[in-house]
Amino acid sequence: MFETLTREADDPLLALTPLFKADPNPAKVDLGVGVYRDDLGRTPVFRAVKRAEALLLETQETKAYVGPEGDLAFIEAFWNFVAGEGRDAAGVQTVGGTGALRLAAELLRRSGSSRIFLGTPTWSNHSAIFQAAGLSVVTYPLFDVASQNLLAGEMMSTLADRAQPGDAVLLHASCHNPTGAVMDDATWAAVTEMILRKGLVPLLDSAYQGFGTGIESDAAPLRRLLDQVPETIVAASASKSFGLYRERTGAVYATSPSPATRDKLKSHLVTVGRGSYSMPPDHGAAVVRTILTDPELREDWRTELDEARQRITAMRAILAEGLSPLSPALAAIATQQGMFSLLPLDERRIIELRQRSGIYMPLSGRINIAGLNSGQAPGVIAALRAHAARG
Ligand SMILES: Cc1ncc(COP(=O)(O)O)c(C=O)c1O
């Protein structure tokens, strides 16, 4: 029976890592994989995470199951981190932000939603997650690579013309992956108004809080939307903001003004999780809970996250200055936010950059700004300019 299977394609982003590893070029640069790197090219464990882990090692008394909804104190503290204090939601701990998106999609389907609107380009896994849960994905162009402009008009006209009551709309809460494009306050207000007018459900994907302009300011648009739209879903990841990638830590939250509805929402989220993996893992959530509820650890974590963001901002400024002679539109790299920007390069040039200069990025042209350090930046800029000059 298994012989009838056809092979699935490898994820092109994950396939980049072995290619990079196999390249003997000593000056090679990995701008592909989506993790934060410091100026020495490491993805360090946050100091506060190490200290929280030491505390947990000393104090943890059992490995008994955490319960189907996960660590309750984590769910609350993480919600306060994302949504601020004083907002009610039905929350469940998930297997990373990906698990949160999957549970969100299942909840949408169980609530009678059958479609989700997705601006493209977007995180390469979004469509797969929503389709796996049985939602149809409707895409619309959200970013023009050549001009580096966010296509807010396309988003508004697509939603106006095609969205039906009960449809879901995916919004990146901050630090858009893969474009870094910033949705301004007027566009957030317009899309919020559209969601209310047409009876749509926003699904906010929050995976990079703290990497844009700050922990609080990155969450401000999401929080304003929560204040105005009664029924929302938030899928939140701790992978980047706490550097816990492999611990698979996240949570999904659904809001409703009615406590009885929130109770029903939670029961559905728990049921979907129970039928998929029974219970979430403990460790990452216990670390985040420990950090967020200890003022000293929290302060230290915040300092380190601030430093990571400042490093990315500094790299953005250097790249923008170095690349804007190629195209004035690339000056936007300086004001885009988060780890990623999308370069207007065709596949031929991207492969040439790998082969001749050891610069690795996926064929989409997405670069992880945090993959670059100050020592490598001049060489990467020079190579990009040289390849462009070659035509
Ligand atoms: C936009 C976006 N959402 C969600 C995720 C999922 O994160 P996690 O690793 O926590 O599953 C990612 C990861 O890259 C992402 O870029």
Side-chain angles (χ1 to χ4, degrees):
M1 200 172 73
F2 295 157
E3 281 171 7
T4 62
L5 291 170
T6 50
R7 195 179 184 289
E8 292 278 350
D10 293 329
D11 183 314
L13 195 56
L14 301 183
L16 205 58
T17 305
L19 288 181
F20 177 78
K21 280 193 180 145
D23 187 342
N25 182 347
K28 63 187 175 179
V29 185
D30 180 7
L31 302 181
V33 70
V35 300
Y36 175 75
R37 294 225 168 93
D38 66 13
D39 209 44
L40 297 172
R42 301 167 309 192
T43 302
V45 181
F46 278 67
R47 290 184 301 266
V49 168
K50 281 280 189 203
R51 287 170 60 198
E53 287 182 318
L55 267 173
L56 289 168
L57 188 66
E58 266 175 41
T59 56
Q60 192 175 55
E61 284 173 351
T62 180
K63 291 287 183 191
Y65 293 120
V66 288
E69 65 269 75
D71 180 325
L72 298 178
F74 158 77
I75 294 167
E76 187 185 339
F78 196 49
W79 178 238
N80 290 340
F81 159 68
V82 177
E85 306 271 335
R87 292 178 178 87
D88 291 319
V92 162
Q93 186 191 320
T94 57
V95 181
T98 305
L101 288 164
R102 179 62 191 263
L103 258 58
E106 300 279 356
L107 184 66
L108 283 165
R109 216 175 34 74
R110 285 168 168 246
S111 312
S113 195
S114 58
R115 298 198 301 176
I116 186 158
F117 283 72
L118 206 53
T120 58
T122 190
W123 180 42
S124 54
N125 210 14
H126 273 147
S127 278
I129 294 169
F130 300 136
Q131 282 165 356
L135 294 177
S136 329
V137 174
V138 182
T139 59
Y140 59 88
L142 185 60
F143 185 75
D144 178 60
V145 187
S147 66
Q148 297 283 303
N149 281 333
L150 188 87
L151 304 175
E154 292 276 352
M155 172 166 74
M156 297 312 293
S157 63
T158 307
L159 295 178
D161 296 345
R162 299 181 59 194
Q164 301 291 329
D167 283 342
V169 184
L170 183 105
L171 297 168
H172 294 233
S174 65
C175 305
H176 189 273
N177 178 7
T179 70
V182 179
M183 202 153 97
D184 62 21
D185 288 352
T187 306
W188 274 103
V191 77
T192 303
E193 197 271 329
M194 177 76 73
I195 285 165
L196 287 168
R197 187 156 56 79
K198 297 205 90 174
L200 312 176
V201 186
L203 169 51
L204 292 138
D205 182 357
S206 181
Y208 297 92
Q209 190 178 337
F211 282 94
T213 55
I215 291 175
E216 299 300 317
S217 52
D218 285 356
L222 173 148
R223 293 175 186 177
R224 274 198 298 273
L225 187 140
L226 292 181
D227 286 339
Q228 291 171 61
V229 183
E231 296 190 331
T232 69
I233 308 181
V234 177
S237 166
S239 300
K240 279 75 178 185
S241 306
F242 291 82
L244 284 169
Y245 312 88
R246 67 172 61 172
E247 300 296 351
R248 312 308 300 131
T249 311
V252 63
Y253 300 91
T255 65
S256 159
S258 151
T261 304
R262 289 199 297 275
D263 183 55
K264 285 193 274 181
L265 287 163
K266 185 159 178 174
S267 74
H268 280 270
L269 291 169
V270 164
T271 303
V272 176
R274 182 95 173 115
S276 310
Y277 47 79
S278 185
M279 318 243 172
D282 170 64
H283 185 70
V287 167
V288 171
R289 183 239 305 145
T290 305
I291 293 172
L292 289 179
T293 55
D294 178 316
E296 206 191 315
L297 288 185
R298 190 182 174 113
E299 193 46 40
D300 191 36
W301 156 74
R302 176 186 276 269
T303 304
E304 215 173 339
L305 182 54
D306 286 348
E307 284 164 10
R309 180 179 63 255
Q310 282 152 12
R311 194 183 97 68
I312 292 175
T313 308
M315 282 300 123
R316 283 192 170 282
I318 291 170
L319 265 187
E321 195 186 332
L323 297 183
S324 44
L326 288 179
S327 156
L330 293 179
I333 292 173
T335 51
Q336 289 165 352
Q337 291 174 11
M339 289 205 217
F340 308 112
S341 283
L342 200 55
L343 297 182
L345 297 173
D346 59 30
E347 294 190 0
R348 179 180 59 87
R349 190 157 292 155
I350 290 169
I351 290 168
E352 238 175 59
L353 277 162
R354 282 183 205 164
Q355 290 170 346
R356 295 205 198 165
S357 308
I359 297 172
Y360 284 74
M361 65 183 81
L363 294 176
S364 62
R366 186 191 83 165
I367 52 167
N368 175 13
I369 310 280
L372 197 63
N373 64 43
S374 42
Q376 296 161 329
V380 168
I381 291 167
L384 283 162
R385 286 201 197 182
H387 282 267
R390 237 181 258 130

